[in-house]
Amino acid sequence: MALVSFIGRVLFASVFILSAWQEFNEFGVDGGPAAKELRPKFNVFSKTVSSHTGLQVPEFDIKYVVAAAVAFKGVGSILFTFGSTIGAYLLVLHQLILTPIVYDFYNYDTEKKEFGLLFTKFSQ
């Protein structure tokens, strides 16, 4: 039974490992395509948080967010593969932080097509 559990963890973590590896290879000097895609969404997220809570989100280079995401995914998935709960917590933390930023359905009217698409991806 331990072998089946290990294979399941490997298959689950392989999604995160492959994603982290791809982002690591494309990182470059400026954070790569992941940073270019994340920057406008992060700006909108910052404005939404500021307008709803009154708290100011600090300014920083988005490549550090991408680097942290790659580290969380990479280290978390490797630790998870070998049965560590810390790895599972890193993967959950990664998902909790980046999912609302990447799938910003809350910025669209509920009648628009984009809302449905982003909300479906967010829910998954």
Side-chain angles (χ1 to χ4, degrees), residues 69-83:
V70 169
F72 277 31
K73 284 191 286 189
V75 172
S77 57
I78 290 170
L79 289 174
F80 179 78
T81 300
F82 295 110

Side-chain angles (χ1 to χ4, degrees), residues 49-70:
V49 167
S50 296
S51 67
H52 285 34
T53 64
L55 300 173
Q56 186 66 27
V57 177
E59 287 291 322
F60 52 88
D61 198 1
I62 201 70
K63 71 180 179 182
Y64 298 122
V65 174
V66 174
V70 169

Side-chain angles (χ1 to χ4, degrees), residues 1 9 79 101 110:
M1 194 56 142
R9 287 193 308 268
L79 289 174
I101 296 171
T110 57

